[in-house]
Amino acid sequence: MTKQLRVGIVGATGAVGQRFVQLLDGHPWFTITALAASDRSAGRTYQEATRWILNTPMPPSIAEQQVLPATAEALSGSCDIIFSALPARTARDLEPQLAAAGFPVFSNASALRMEPDVPLMIPEVNPDHLALVRVQQKRRGWKGYVVTNPNCSTIHLVLALKPLQDAFGLDKVMVTTLQALSGAGYPGVPSLDIIDNVIPYIRNEEGKIESEPLKLLGQYTGQGIDFADIRISAAAHRVAVVDGHLEAVVVQFKRRATLEEVREALRTFRSVPQELNLPTAPDPVIVLREEEDRPQPRLDRDAGRGMATTVGRLRPDPILDYKFVLLGHNTIRGAAGASILNAELALATGYL
Ligand code: NAP
């Protein structure tokens, strides 16, 4: 039987924090024993401090827990590992303090993702990069460590790119995103800005989508990561959808591939989380749809309990090689579910 761990969530009251609470309810390995947020919430019960925005009820066992201040001191002794759903500016200072205090921290925040000794992980894509935590601990003198997951658009993009990179080599990628409102947290984008509208700008988003895949698809050297040599161009847009990021992708390969070979590479993609049968791992990883009008956010975002990436409209491209549309849940696989899968991999492979 796998070891049972007590988990804390920092940023527990926000959009991603609530997803952690929902996804960890009844988890076979992890039990929530600590919830922390800002000074606004600390000292109140979780129910009092949280405007619950999910469509399943707040778990009764969580509702009455008291929210703690998000400090290493307040969390000391209350949990074995920490999931972080903090804003990046808070995470930059607090996550290193938590790791120094001995906590393994699995973070959603962008603050430390591109640090050379911090693993940026998708368990199906680069499970071997987890070994970087030992370099991190040695370099920084930490008893704990920080592991990050990518930006919500990057995760689904790279899940689709990984089997293509392995089979054909990627040369160029162009991606246009149509991103859901929950990606901006709560309350997020003002309603009068987004109803009857599309906003062709999301601050800092395109840079993350262009840079994070190069680390994720890079090679672990034993000391750091050699970034992949791929040219990526991203254009990010906010649309009036609640959950589910849609991405129109065009790729150019290093080797020739037939349409059937591309289809087969996507359809058959399996990796370490599926082999280890991790509790949150989807199988299949990629749901390949053949209908002419799929994927769609409302119909496809819950594929694989929100952990799968749906790909459709796969076809040749007249300028580059192939194009397709992908869709993925941004607060499940794009955020909380991604951190939980990272922690499951860490536990199953001896890092916890
Ligand atoms: P959010 O709804 O604004 O929630 C922020 C959370 O952080 C709340 O619990 C808030 O507590 C807490 N917080 C704010 N300032 C704090 C402070 N100074 N000290 C301690 N806690 C503080 O944001 P979100 O959408 O959940 O995003 C959380 C993180 O995940 C961000 O880094 C975001 O970029 C990342 N992320 C989000 C998504 C997504 O789809 N939403 C996807 C991937 C990654 P109070 O309620 O007490 O203010």
Side-chain angles (χ1 to χ4, degrees):
M1 198 180 113
T2 314
K3 183 160 82 172
Q4 299 287 313
L5 291 177
R6 301 171 306 153
V7 309
I9 304 168
V10 292
T13 52
V16 174
Q18 294 182 30
R19 275 290 175 205
F20 274 118
V21 168
Q22 182 191 52
L23 296 175
L24 289 167
D25 187 33
H27 193 282
W29 301 347
F30 305 140
T31 305
I32 300 170
T33 54
L35 302 159
S38 76
D39 293 345
R40 183 192 72 76
S41 307
R44 302 163 82 190
T45 64
Y46 186 68
Q47 191 165 29
E48 285 165 355
T50 305
R51 184 181 161 85
W52 186 256
I53 56 170
L54 301 181
N55 59 8
T56 56
M58 181 185 289
S61 60
I62 301 299
E64 294 306 319
Q65 283 191 30
Q66 196 178 75
V67 178
L68 301 169
T71 63
E73 206 180 11
L75 288 160
S76 170
S78 67
C79 54
D80 307 308
I81 69 169
I82 287 178
F83 290 114
S84 167
L86 293 170
R89 63 181 182 282
T90 312
R92 178 160 290 287
D93 293 329
L94 185 59
E95 290 176 0
Q97 290 168 17
L98 294 169
F103 289 110
V105 179
F106 295 86
S107 173
N108 270 281
S110 59
L112 304 177
R113 279 179 199 152
M114 300 304 278
E115 298 271 315
D117 59 353
V118 173
L120 176 64
M121 302 268 317
I122 303 175
E124 285 89 344
V125 171
N126 58 346
D128 59 317
H129 290 201
L130 193 52
L132 198 53
V133 296
R134 300 300 180 220
V135 178
Q136 183 191 115
Q137 288 176 311
K138 203 163 158 209
R139 231 177 248 172
R140 303 193 188 219
W142 290 347
K143 288 202 290 295
Y145 55 74
V146 178
V147 172
T148 61
N149 53 257
N151 163 279
C152 40
S153 296
T154 306
I155 293 183
H156 290 286
L157 175 65
V158 174
L159 278 167
L161 294 181
K162 170 67 176 170
L164 305 179
Q165 162 83 339
D166 287 350
F168 318 115
L170 285 165
D171 186 15
K172 300 189 184 85
V173 176
M174 300 196 60
V175 54
T176 303
T177 70
L178 307 179
Q179 298 187 209
L181 291 168
S182 60
Y186 185 84
V189 185
S191 57
L192 286 182
D193 285 352
I194 194 68
I195 291 173
D196 187 30
N197 210 6
V198 171
I199 300 172
Y201 175 67
I202 303 175
R203 189 182 303 277
N204 296 331
E205 192 77 359
E206 291 167 358
K208 292 175 189 167
I209 302 170
E210 290 174 357
S211 60
E212 291 175 8
L214 308 182
K215 186 172 182 184
L216 288 155
L217 294 168
Q219 298 296 319
Y220 176 57
T221 63
Q223 284 306 308
I225 307 295
D226 267 352
F227 282 30
D229 181 21
I230 304 167
R231 288 170 66 198
I232 303 178
S233 167
H237 307 80
R238 186 74 70 192
V239 298
V241 164
V242 175
D243 290 317
H245 289 354
L246 192 109
E247 306 181 32
V249 185
V250 194
V251 291
Q252 183 165 302
F253 299 141
K254 292 193 169 133
R255 296 185 281 286
R256 281 185 175 281
T258 65
L259 184 61
E260 195 43 49
E261 286 168 336
V262 177
R263 189 178 280 133
E264 198 56 13
L266 291 166
R267 205 180 53 71
T268 58
F269 179 45
R270 291 182 96 249
S271 183
V272 171
Q274 288 68 38
E275 282 153 23
L276 293 174
N277 205 14
L278 299 180
T280 303
D283 199 353
V285 183
I286 294 172
V287 177
L288 189 62
R289 304 223 51 130
E290 301 294 344
E291 302 92 325
E292 61 187 10
D293 61 353
R294 298 286 279 276
Q296 297 179 20
R298 257 196 294 135
L299 301 181
D300 296 302
R301 61 192 165 206
D302 293 324
R305 290 174 295 140
M307 289 298 288
T309 301
T310 301
V311 173
R313 304 218 59 226
L314 176 64
R315 60 219 191 272
D317 180 69
I319 297 176
L320 304 185
D321 288 337
Y322 289 95
K323 56 186 168 183
F324 54 88
V325 177
L326 69 83
L327 187 283
H329 203 298
N330 53 298
T331 62
I332 301 182
R333 170 61 96 151
S339 291
I340 294 171
L341 194 59
N342 281 347
E344 289 173 0
L345 178 74
L347 183 54
T349 56
Y351 286 89
L352 285 175

